[in-house]
Amino acid sequence: QVQLVESGGGLVQPGGSLRLSCAASGFTFRNYRMSWYRQAPGAERELVAFIPSTSTNIKYADSVKGRFTISRDNAKNTVYLQLNSLKPEDTAMYYCNAGFLTYEHWGQGTQVTVSS
């Protein structure tokens, strides 16, 4: 049974930091490209960060470059997203995504709220 379980979200003040985790099970994690998406209320879901199976050629949305860092630990079947210098516009539900060829899996999401 495929599972992606996100954690680490919460309420943080502007300028603060969070570390999101996504624990994977039920598939061969090391073969999958991993991504973080986010969706704010009333907005489309958008790609935030992408890390290939080889961890090379990592990509970020322009809005988070220099503030967010994606990483993966294949031994722990986990992908991370470090969020620094958070802004109110980063408020959204953050989703983990795993992809390999035509296969794709989604987590249930973790809420990040940036507010003073």
Side-chain angles (χ1 to χ4, degrees):
Q1 178 183 357
V2 172
Q3 276 197 309
L4 291 172
V5 180
E6 299 99 332
S7 62
L11 173 64
V12 63
Q13 292 188 339
S17 297
L18 287 172
R19 189 194 196 203
L20 308 184
S21 299
C22 172
S25 60
F27 61 96
T28 308
F29 178 82
R30 65 179 181 275
N31 292 341
Y32 277 65
R33 61 187 182 274
M34 300 299 298
S35 305
W36 285 96
Y37 285 75
R38 69 184 181 186
Q39 187 168 20
E44 302 264 326
R45 189 172 294 192
E46 62 172 347
L47 177 65
V48 174
F50 162 81
I51 184 167
S53 59
T54 57
S55 296
T56 58
N57 207 22
I58 291 171
K59 304 289 187 187
Y60 295 97
D62 287 343
S63 58
V64 307
K65 277 181 184 175
R67 300 188 298 122
F68 291 7
T69 303
I70 189 171
S71 61
R72 63 190 295 160
D73 185 337
N74 289 343
K76 295 183 178 180
N77 288 355
T78 301
V79 62
Y80 304 97
L81 186 68
Q82 179 68 40
L83 291 67
N84 296 331
S85 302
L86 281 161
K87 304 175 181 180
E89 52 262 43
D90 294 318
T91 295
M93 185 71 79
Y94 284 70
Y95 296 93
C96 177
N97 173 275
F100 176 68
L101 300 178
T102 59
Y103 299 97
E104 192 172 34
H105 311 298
W106 289 92
Q108 293 300 304
T110 186
Q111 177 68 37
V112 171
T113 303
V114 185
S115 175
S116 54

